[in-house]
Each structure stands twice: as structure tokens, then as C-alpha cells.
Amino acid sequence: MYDVVVVGGGPAGMAAAIRAKELGLKVLLLDDNDYLGGVLPQCIHPGFGIHYFKEELTGPEFAYRLMNKLDGVEVKTSARVLEIINYSDLEKFVVFTSPQGVQKVPTKTIIYAAGARERHAFEIGIVGDRVAGIYTAGETQTLMDIYGIMPGKEIVIVGSGDVGLIMARRFSLEGAKVKAVIELMPYPGGLARNIMILKDFNIPLYLSHKVVEVRGKGRVEKIKVVKVDENLREIPGTEFWIEADTLVISAGLIPNVKLLTEIGVAIDPSTGGPIVNDRLETSVPGIFVAGNALLINDLVDYVAEQGELAAEGAREFIENGGIPSRRWIRLVKGENVRLLAPHYLSGERDVWIYARVRRPMEDVVVEFPEIGKKIKLPVIKPAEMLRIKLKTEEISKAEDKITMRVVKHG
Amino acid sequence: MKIRVAIIGAGITGASIARVLSKYENLEVHLIDKNPDVGWGVSKANTAIIHGGYDDDPDKYPMRAKLCIRGNRLWHQWVKELEIPHVWNGALIVALKDEDFKELEVLLERGIRNGVPEMRIVDRDELFRLEPGLTREALGALWVPIVGQIGPIPAVIAIVENAVANGVKTHLETEVRGIKVENGEVKGVETNSGFIEADILINAAGLYADEISRMAGIDYFEIHPRKGEYWIFDEGIPGPKRVLFPTPTPISKGIVVTTEISGHLMIGPNAQDLPPEEKENTATTREGLEEVWEGAKKLWPQLPPRSKVIRTFAGLRPEPTGGDFIIKAEEEVWGFINVAGIRSPGLTSAPAIAYEVAEIIQRDLGIELVEKKKWNPYRREITHFFALSYEKVNELVKKNPAYGKIVCRCNKVSEGDILEAIERMKFIGVKTPSIDSVKFRTKATTGTCQGSFCRPRIIQILAREYGVPPWEVTLKGKGSEIGIGDVKVLVRGE
Ligand SMILES: Cc1cc2nc3c(=O)[nH]c(=O)nc-3n(C[C@H](O)[C@H](O)[C@H](O)COP(=O)(O)OP(=O)(O)OC[C@H]3O[C@@H](n4cnc5c(N)ncnc54)[C@H](O)[C@@H]3O)c2cc1C
């Protein structure tokens, strides 16, 4: 019987497994890739680990550091979890398949860190020919940086989030021409440091535009773009075509939660991930979640932090035969808060709140009116996750809920 | 000496003909297609319904009326012999207005004439017992329990595998460019890869059957494409148990709402006529997809949000002059048999069309067909990890560990499934490795994430098994290579 089975060997899962082992738990870490690290091995650019390792690393370096701390953790790669069986709050099974066959292992808790998937061309309403040369950004990253394949030479990227921008640089560095980055919103989606890439490589950014159609015979030949108004409605007569052989879709990520919904875990539609308490425990007792499966993070450091938190939750669960019942304080979304987690606070410990705003704003205050907490910030952007600590004393001032809202200063 | 038969077109029609003709000792059958794999023409994108045989007017379209119901009956046997994925779930043709019942009466009468069993008109009460999720506007329906659904490309693949096992020779990536006729007799076909001799030539070239016929000097018909577009939604979205049709119009059976055999809600098609030269225009369009959405909503009001779409696609129906199937031995050219204008319900009719062709060969060409003593009617379905019990997986893993390793997460496709698919591709002569060939055999890349995770892995496996560099692996044949070279190809300035 394991204390913890960790599903997913990316940074969240590895950090969870390492912490659980440090806490003296018996851990099994499963990943369906042939290698550990999740998406990190394909992220060969720097920008990882500034908070967690206090040093700027590349994705593979970050992954490697975590791998080196896995001693004492039982690890299985090429192992795909097929099913989670929640027999009762105290007894669970994980069924997985690998080249050794299907196995069913008993465990007390599960930390689910299965990451996210990318939105694809059909989901964002692109019509036209179904031809070669249409990829998601992560897929081009895998092709280029894991398998050494150059997908194309004239590139259009949908979405100015970090992944799209990083791939814009990656393509440019390999000698491809990035003809445009097309962004639906009136502002760019990525971190400021990544938006610099567009200037560095002289790549045009079209804000308030969208790709609507792809045409080609065997391969992408041209891509139709149209301008949108403030309500994201297409403006007739503004259509134009860009000739390119490759369309890269970087239109956001969606937490991978299918195995959880199959056992009835409640999902928050705004994060796409589970509803959790401040131990990152889902609505099914003993099942914890961390990383992009919880909500889409922009920094790997937060992902690893969530993994550790979930491991601590697992320990508390095992020690007490469950997380103690209490009057949980709800954290609720107020003005200009698009999503947040965790959803329930115990008031017994400090918590990190992860949140994203709906629209960019300057000179703002993040307020928690019920507890009288206010934080001034010069700028906020939907692309950058807000991470705010609420202290135990602060939380305990609330009765049954704490609202988080973001308003103009003054 | 054996009589050489060449069939142009490895769609559902050509494949079915090849299978039926492979029963005969005195025929040597060649199946020719310009595509790298079988079933990639009209047969690739359609509603996948085995129709009931009630909607073709026997006075106007005698061939369609006769062959549809006969095809339906034959499919019941073929899906079992060939282990083709299928479901017999029945159809409801729904009346939303009082006037619609008049049309349903017409269909019922026609069905009775065509010999369709088990039909009846059901009232509102019974209708909602059959299909509780249907629009509350529905007043009643024609219930046709013999309707079913199959996987159309898996069906073509199964039929061709069986035909090849029975001696049929395939010529893929072989485009027919001319027909040699001497003294009014067929001699063979010119192709991009040489001349193929033939005593009998069967034109089952789908959208291009008019062009092929013209190559033989026979030009009394033309084929124009009629586009139909579809939406497919993510798994887990509730759909109907039966196939739901609206009451039909003169040009189309209407926009269907159905749960296709792999469990996804599917809506479509509309019908848009294109000029004859647009035979490759399978692009989806905003207008067409919107039309389908609006049409489907009338029957099935709780359509999911657009973000739950996993795929949209379009198919082209080959609409012939006159509207009926053209299946006959042409008198001007001995040995030339047209099987043209195989529009809907061509998928349903295909097995019956094949027997019709065998009959034409005997009756009109006067060739006595001699049955083989040993003919194998069976073909085994490819292994699907997702369909196996865990015990069965473990048995397979003992022989080959690849069966335990998942490549496509969404649809649980194992590396073993993919290796088996590649073996079968090679068996029927697929020369160019393509992701679509693997997809149609295994379902890899067709799930929620549409392959963004597994495609790179499938590329590796195909490259290894076909011995080509990974960037030369194609999505769907030459011209759709997934890359332009290794990652440094542009930097080197080649
Ligand atoms: C939108 C739509 C919905 C439909 N729904 C249904 C349905 O629900 N039920 C039903 O029964 N029917 C349906 N049909 C009809 C059915 O799909 C067709 O009747 C059937 O697939 C036709 O098959 P085929 O073999 O005749 O043609 P194809 O599948 O097109 O086969 C012809 C083959 O010939 C090859 N070829 C052409 N020219 C050459 C050449 N010069 N040299 C070599 N090869 C050549 C092509 O590459 C192709 O592979 C639908 C069709 C469409 C488009």
C-alpha cells in the first residue's frame, strides 16, 4: 500500500513526490512519457526557477534538478494511468498500463499533477482545409526540441501568450520567418519579457485580430485574418490573407481533468481545474491536485510550490484519517477577478492565493474587504498570475467568506 | 488464362466490387487508386449511415431504390464477417409541422414498395419514449429500426484487407490518365506508374467517374460535387440514441443529429452544390457550418458550447446527371463498366452494387464466373487497446510489451495497436507513411486533444517502421509532409 501515488512526472508531480518522501511517506510517481519532466524537457529557453531555485535555468535544467532529488521515490515512466478507483475516503486504487502490462495499486492518497492540454484549431473556430502544417505551439516545440524536426519556414502564430511568443523566437532562431503573431484581445497575452521577442526579431503583432480560415492543398498555403471590435466581433471588410506554410496555435491551455471528473471531482468552470481547499484537496477526500491540472500557471516555480503543498496535505490526511472538518471560509471572485484558487481556506495556516484578472488595469488595489486587506499594484495583466499571501491572522478575521476584487486606486 | 479485371477507385464501391470479384477463380482483380491509401475519396467524409431504403423513389431512381435496401440487408452480414465497427440503432424521421406527416406517409408508402421491413409512424408519446432529448416541438416521426451506422473508412479498409487476402492486387498512388481501347474493346489503363492491362475495366472513380468515362469515349453524364459539412463534439456530451432526421426536402435528406459509432455527438450535413471543377474543394466554410448548427438545433436544442467542438469537416457527394446511380456495361466499349454517380446512399448500397456488377459481367459480357473452392469471407479487426479487458492486455504484453504502452491518451491507443496498423498498411500496399493511415485504423489523434500530444510520437513510429526520416512522414500523402527537414535545415541555408 502506498501512502501517495503521484500521477504525472512534470514539475508539480516531481516536487510533490520529493516533498512527500521528505515527509516520510511511501511514494510512487507515474508518468506516461518515456522521460520525466513533463513539458520542461521541450522548453529549452531560460526563465525557469528564479523563485524556486533562486537562479535562472532552462526547462531541462529545472527538470534535472528535481530529478536528482527523487532518490527514495519509486518512479515509473511509460506508465499511463487508465483509471482512478475511489473505493472510499480511506482506500483508493490507481490502475495504470506500461510495457509491463496493466497494474492496479492500492494507495491512501493521490496527488494528481497531470498537467494541461492545448486548445486546437477546431476549438477556436478555424475553418477551411484540413492540411499539414497546422500545429499547436507545444507540438511544434516537441517536434523541434525533442525530435529535431523543423516544421516549416513561413510561420503564423495564433495567440501572443508566452508559449506562442517563445515559439516565435524559437522559429526565428532556426531561420524561419515568423510572418505574424495574431492576438484576439486588444492587449498581448504574454509576460513583458517575452513580448520583447517581437521587437528583437521584428515580428508584427496584430492585436484585436483573429485567424478564421486556412487554405491549402497538402499543406497550409494561406491564412485568413480578420479584425475584431471591442466585443470581439469580426469587422466586415477587414479580412486579409497571409501566405505561410505553417500555422501555430497557441490559444491557451485547459487542465487535464478527465480522470478526476470520472470519479466525480467537482470542477470550477473558470479555472477548468478542480475546486480545492487550502491543502489543494479536491471534493473527493484524499485526492489532491497541483500544477496546471489545478489551474494554468505561468511560472514553473508556482507549480512546484503547489506540488509541495499537496504533499503536505497528503501527510495531514494520512495522519488524521482525513482532513479535519471545520467551518471553511470561502474565497470568492469579485470585480475584475477571472479565476482563483484555492476556493476554501481553513484559517489555520497562511495560504498563497493564485488568481487572474479579466482585463489589464493600471494603478490598482487588490482588496479583500471582509478582512480589510489592500495591496497596491502599478499594473495588472490577465497574462500574469497574481500570487498573494493571506496570513492566518488575516483569514481568521473573516466569518464565512473572503472576497477578492481588483479596483482602480483612489 | 484468367480474365484481368481492373477496378478504378478504392472507395467503398470499388473495394466492395473487388471483394465480390475475388470469389471467382477465373478473374485476376486489380484495384487502382491515386491516393496513398484506400477510402480517401468520397467514402472518407460522410454521415456513415446504413440507410433504411425508404427515401429513393423507384420510378425516378430505380437503381438507388433497389440497391439501398439490398445493401442494407447485405451489410448485416458483411459487418460480422469483416468485423467492421457498427451499430444498428434505427432512425427517426421527425415531423415538426402537421404538413410533415404527409411527407412521412409518402416515405412509408415508398418504403413498402421498396420492400423495407419494420417501418411505422409513431405518435408524440412513443417518439419521446424512443428519444427523450428531442425537441419538444416534435409531433411524431417515421420509425425505421433497420437503419445503422458504420465506420466508413474502417469498412473500406476491412473490405480491402479481405480482398487482398483473397488474391486482389492493389495499385496505390496510381492515377489513371488514359484508357486504351482497341477495336471497341478495353485493353487497359495508362497510369503515372505504367500501363496496367485489363480485359474488363470497372469505373468506380467517385467524383471523377465522369472524367474516367470520357477517357473511354463515353460522355453522356457529368458529375458535380455537392458539399456537406459536419461538426463533431467532444466525448461525454449527451446525444441521441437513434439517428435523427428532419423531414426531407427534394435535394437532401436533411441535417442529421446522431451519436456516431465512437460515441461522439455529430451533426450535419448541409447540401451545397459546387461546379464540376471543384472536386477537391473539401474546405469547411463558416456559412455551411452555421447552416448545419441552425438546422441541428431544430431537432436537438441542447447543443453544447462551441468550445466543445473537436472537429469540423466536409465531404463531397458525387451528383450525376439524372440523379440515379449509373451502373452498366457500356455498349460502345466492350469490357467497360461504369459504376458512376454513386452519391448517397452509396455507402449503404456498396455491397449490393458489387453483386450487381458481378451479374453484369455474367449477363452483359457473357462471362461465366467460376467460384473459387476456397474463398475466405473473414477478416479480423485490428487490436484496439481501449476495447480490451486488462487481462487481455496483459496476455498481449507478454508477447509484445508495446501493447502496454499508450501513445494516444485521449482514445487509449497503444503502440502495439499502431504497429499492427502499420503492418496492415503494408499488407494492402500503402507505400507512403501517413498519420491519417494510422488514424483511420486506430483512432489515434481523433480525441479531445486532436493529436497535439500523440502526433509527434506516431511520426517517430512511422519513420522507424518505414525507414524514412521523421520529417518525411506525411499527414495524408505526398505534399503533406510534416516537416521540411531537420531542425537546422534553414540555418544551414539548404
Ligand atoms: C456529405 C455526404 C454524406 C453522405 N452520407 C451517406 C450516408 O449516410 N449513407 C450512405 O449510404 N451514403 C452516404 N453518402 C454517400 C457515400 O459516401 C458515397 O456514395 C460513397 O462513399 C461513394 O463511394 P465510391 O467508392 O463510389 O467513391 P469514392 O470513395 O470517391 O472512391 C473513388 C476512388 O476513386 C479514386 N480515383 C478517382 N480518379 C482516379 C484516377 N484517375 N485514377 C485512380 N484512382 C482514381 C479516388 O481517389 C477514390 O479513392 C454521403 C456522401 C457525402 C459526401
Side-chain angles (χ1 to χ4, degrees):
Chain A
M1 168 86 100
Y2 291 99
D3 292 321
V4 193
V5 173
V6 180
V7 181
M14 284 198 288
I18 293 163
R19 185 81 187 113
K21 174 204 63 178
E22 284 167 4
L23 295 169
L25 305 179
K26 183 167 164 17
V27 193
L28 173 66
L29 175 65
L30 297 172
D31 196 285
D32 67 351
N33 267 322
D34 297 342
Y35 46 82
L36 286 177
V39 294
L40 291 180
Q42 75 200 43
C43 298
I44 61 169
H45 53 281
F48 298 86
I50 300 160
H51 303 260
Y52 195 77
F53 288 115
K54 313 277 181 256
E55 196 180 333
E56 188 168 39
L57 304 171
T58 65
E61 284 167 342
F62 190 100
Y64 190 66
R65 294 244 177 139
L66 288 178
M67 277 180 227
N68 280 340
K69 298 208 224 164
L70 280 170
D71 277 349
V73 172
E74 200 180 320
V75 177
K76 231 172 153 16
T77 50
S78 304
R80 172 84 191 156
V81 175
L82 300 171
E83 205 184 336
I84 291 172
I85 300 167
N86 182 51
Y87 173 72
S88 79
D89 60 335
L90 296 179
E91 202 176 351
K92 306 173 199 322
F93 299 89
V94 174
V95 183
F96 65 94
T97 182
S98 76
Q100 284 79 51
V102 179
Q103 289 167 67
K104 176 178 168 186
V105 297
T107 182
K108 291 180 188 154
T109 66
I110 291 167
I111 298 177
Y112 185 87
R117 71 168 181 89
E118 300 180 272
R119 293 172 76 206
H120 53 70
F122 296 106
E123 257 171 319
I124 60 171
I126 295 177
V127 301
D129 292 307
R130 293 161 302 283
V131 286
I134 306 173
Y135 300 102
T136 62
E139 190 182 355
T140 58
Q141 210 175 35
T142 310
L143 287 174
M144 293 169 78
D145 295 334
I146 302 283
Y147 297 117
I149 300 168
M150 189 67 194
K153 54 173 180 278
E154 295 193 310
I155 321 290
V156 170
I157 296 176
V158 174
S160 63
D162 294 316
V163 189
L165 294 170
I166 283 160
M167 286 321 288
R169 175 174 60 199
R170 188 76 193 97
F171 275 111
S172 305
L173 289 172
E174 292 302 354
K177 172 111 190 95
V178 180
K179 297 194 112 176
V181 172
I182 311 292
E183 171 58 57
L184 180 64
M185 305 306 283
Y187 44 83
L191 299 169
R193 66 164 193 244
N194 288 330
I195 294 159
M196 288 300 294
I197 292 171
L198 298 169
K199 283 206 190 68
D200 293 348
F201 292 96
N202 215 352
I203 298 167
L205 169 66
Y206 293 84
L207 296 173
S208 297
H209 278 75
K210 97 193 233 202
V211 167
V212 289
E213 189 173 342
V214 178
R215 296 307 300 264
K217 283 206 181 76
R219 169 113 206 169
V220 176
E221 286 163 21
K222 54 181 185 170
I223 292 161
K224 189 180 186 180
V225 180
V226 60
K227 196 168 164 44
V228 299
D229 64 18
E230 6 359 310
N231 301 313
L232 308 183
R233 275 190 310 244
E234 291 165 30
I235 305 172
T238 59
E239 301 85 1
F240 61 96
W241 291 91
I242 302 177
E243 282 178 27
D245 63 4
T246 306
L247 179 67
V248 175
I249 313 283
S250 176
L253 301 169
I254 299 173
N256 259 330
V257 290
K258 192 171 158 215
L259 286 169
L260 295 182
T261 53
E262 282 170 7
I263 52 164
V265 166
I267 300 297
D268 170 358
S270 58
T271 57
I275 295 173
V276 293
N277 61 25
D278 61 12
R279 285 303 201 187
L280 304 187
E281 185 187 28
T282 68
S283 55
V284 172
I287 297 190
F288 299 81
V289 59
N292 278 358
L294 168 64
L295 84 172
I296 303 306
N297 289 272
D298 38 33
L299 290 179
V300 69
D301 309 81
Y302 300 166
V303 163
E305 171 178 284
Q306 290 156 15
E308 294 189 1
L309 197 58
E312 281 153 22
R315 184 196 39 189
E316 185 181 14
F317 183 95
I318 292 165
E319 278 175 358
N320 299 301
I323 301 287
S325 289
R326 58 169 61 85
R327 205 176 284 282
W328 289 94
I329 295 155
R330 280 179 308 131
L331 185 66
V332 293
K333 291 184 290 184
E335 201 183 320
N336 201 14
V337 175
R338 182 159 60 94
L339 56 87
L340 55 72
H343 307 76
Y344 291 93
L345 313 179
S346 64
E348 290 189 352
R349 63 186 70 88
D350 298 355
V351 287
W352 284 114
I353 291 172
Y354 307 97
R356 279 181 197 274
V357 296
R358 280 184 194 285
R359 345 168 258 289
M361 269 165 105
E362 283 179 16
D363 196 18
V364 298
V365 198
V366 181
E367 288 185 349
F368 299 88
E370 289 88 347
I371 56 173
K373 187 179 171 89
K374 284 186 187 184
I375 301 160
K376 273 191 235 162
L377 290 173
V379 272
I380 49 151
K381 296 175 183 169
E384 285 174 39
M385 199 156 80
L386 286 173
R387 173 168 160 278
I388 293 168
K389 184 174 252 176
L390 292 189
K391 296 229 171 64
T392 316
E393 322 77 87
E394 292 171 332
I395 300 167
S396 50
K397 285 189 217 154
E399 291 199 353
D400 60 341
K401 71 169 177 109
I402 299 177
T403 311
M404 172 174 179
R405 62 182 201 210
V406 180
V407 293
K408 199 89 187 151
H409 180 53
Chain B
M1 258 263 294
K2 284 194 179 182
I3 298 157
R4 289 172 65 102
V5 183
I7 302 164
I8 307 172
I12 194 72
T13 309
S16 299
I17 296 169
R19 176 179 195 235
V20 168
L21 297 187
S22 75
K23 290 183 179 177
Y24 301 106
E25 190 61 64
N26 52 335
L27 302 181
E28 180 185 302
V29 183
H30 295 260
L31 181 62
I32 304 168
D33 205 294
K34 62 182 178 183
N35 286 317
D37 199 347
V38 300
W40 284 14
V42 179
S43 304
K44 174 163 135 176
N46 54 55
T47 323
I49 294 170
I50 302 305
H51 283 288
Y54 52 83
D55 50 7
D56 293 312
D57 182 343
D59 297 325
K60 279 201 216 139
Y61 311 116
M63 274 296 189
R64 276 159 50 182
K66 171 174 99 172
L67 296 174
C68 184
I69 178 62
R70 198 184 282 171
N72 176 300
R73 306 287 79 182
L74 283 166
W75 273 117
H76 282 72
Q77 180 191 341
W78 284 34
V79 293
K80 281 194 256 170
E81 289 172 345
L82 302 171
E83 298 193 358
I84 293 168
H86 65 278
V87 50
W88 298 110
N89 56 339
L92 289 162
I93 300 93
V94 179
L96 297 177
K97 299 187 296 256
D98 281 327
E99 305 90 270
D100 291 346
F101 281 103
K102 249 185 266 150
E103 183 60 28
L104 296 189
E105 294 286 352
V106 172
L107 295 180
L108 178 63
E109 279 311 307
R110 218 182 266 160
I112 294 167
R113 251 185 96 188
N114 289 349
V116 180
E118 304 289 348
M119 299 170 66
R120 77 163 174 265
I121 289 177
V122 295
D123 62 12
R124 210 167 173 263
D125 192 48
E126 187 178 352
L127 177 58
F128 287 116
R129 281 169 215 282
L130 285 166
E131 203 55 76
L134 197 61
T135 173
R136 292 282 124 186
E137 318 265 288
L139 302 174
L142 179 63
W143 167 226
V144 192
I146 70 162
V147 168
Q149 300 183 79
I150 64 172
I153 308 190
V156 180
I157 292 167
I159 294 169
V160 173
E161 282 180 7
N162 178 245
V164 169
N166 284 304
V168 170
K169 304 214 165 38
T170 61
H171 305 258
L172 297 176
E173 294 183 58
T174 305
E175 183 176 14
V176 173
R177 293 181 175 161
I179 296 173
K180 190 166 165 198
V181 178
E182 258 175 33
N183 308 323
E185 285 180 17
V186 163
K187 291 292 166 203
V189 291
E190 330 266 1
T191 78
N192 57 331
S193 50
F195 186 74
I196 299 171
E197 270 178 57
D199 307 305
I200 298 175
L201 186 59
I202 297 166
N203 170 19
L207 287 160
Y208 294 89
D210 54 348
E211 291 179 18
I212 296 287
S213 187
R214 260 176 253 137
M215 290 176 198
I218 292 159
D219 59 3
Y220 61 86
F221 65 91
E222 188 173 67
I223 286 173
H224 79 266
R226 181 175 288 167
K227 189 184 280 190
E229 300 183 47
Y230 299 84
W231 301 78
I232 299 187
F233 300 95
D234 204 354
E235 60 187 79
I237 288 160
K241 284 202 279 297
R242 337 271 167 186
V243 180
L244 304 181
F245 290 93
T247 303
T249 65
I251 75 155
S252 146
K253 297 193 240 319
I255 292 158
V256 167
V257 178
T258 187
T259 303
E260 44 113 51
I261 48 163
S262 55
H264 296 258
L265 173 64
M266 180 173 98
I267 60 174
N270 60 336
Q272 193 208 351
D273 283 302
L274 300 181
E277 60 278 8
E278 290 201 28
K279 287 173 173 163
E280 296 295 320
N281 181 356
T282 53
T284 54
T285 65
R286 312 286 287 280
E287 303 71 33
L289 289 171
E290 283 312 318
E291 185 187 346
V292 168
W293 192 278
E294 290 311 313
K297 223 166 58 183
K298 286 189 197 136
L299 290 182
W300 197 256
Q302 67 272 44
L303 288 178
R306 301 272 169 113
S307 59
K308 292 286 176 192
V309 173
I310 60 168
R311 197 165 182 81
T312 57
F313 67 95
L316 298 174
R317 308 166 181 90
E319 292 295 325
T321 312
D324 202 3
F325 296 160
I326 298 163
I327 305 174
K328 62 194 266 217
E330 299 293 352
E331 276 162 27
E332 295 93 318
V333 181
W334 193 94
F336 186 73
I337 301 175
N338 264 321
V339 185
I342 309 301
R343 42 126 36 222
S344 190
L347 181 67
T348 312
S349 310
I353 292 173
Y355 285 104
E356 182 78 18
V357 168
E359 213 176 289
I360 288 173
I361 292 176
Q362 310 206 62
R363 187 187 61 216
D364 300 338
L365 300 185
I367 292 167
E368 199 188 323
L369 296 176
V370 185
E371 283 196 30
K372 285 180 184 164
K373 285 200 192 69
K374 268 203 202 137
W375 180 77
N376 173 15
Y378 303 108
R379 170 264 184 190
R380 194 179 55 77
E381 168 67 321
I382 185 171
T383 306
H384 291 295
F385 181 99
F386 60 78
L388 300 176
S389 68
Y390 297 152
E391 292 75 35
K392 188 80 198 151
V393 172
N394 286 340
E395 257 172 56
L396 285 174
V397 164
K398 278 193 203 115
K399 281 181 278 172
N400 184 356
Y403 281 105
K405 184 168 169 186
I406 296 295
V407 173
C408 162
R409 295 172 167 180
C410 302
N411 286 345
K412 297 192 186 114
V413 178
S414 81
E415 186 170 332
D417 300 5
I418 291 175
L419 292 171
E420 209 176 304
I422 293 172
E423 211 175 283
R424 286 167 185 249
M425 282 152 63
K426 290 181 174 171
F427 176 70
I428 66 160
V430 175
K431 289 182 290 220
T432 301
S434 77
I435 293 162
D436 272 5
S437 287
V438 170
K439 159 174 131 179
F440 293 130
R441 286 168 177 81
T442 63
K443 290 202 181 145
T445 80
T446 66
T448 309
C449 85
Q450 287 290 304
S452 54
F453 170 76
C454 62
R455 217 169 2 232
R457 293 181 175 188
I458 296 169
I459 291 165
Q460 301 308 309
I461 300 173
L462 278 167
R464 185 180 77 212
E465 298 300 314
Y466 269 91
V468 298
W471 44 89
E472 283 177 17
V473 169
T474 69
L475 180 68
K476 41 165 113 179
K478 298 221 164 76
S480 68
E481 284 72 16
I482 60 95
I484 56 170
D486 69 87
V487 81
K488 293 293 170 199
V489 68
L490 293 172
V491 177
R492 281 197 308 270
E494 280 167 13

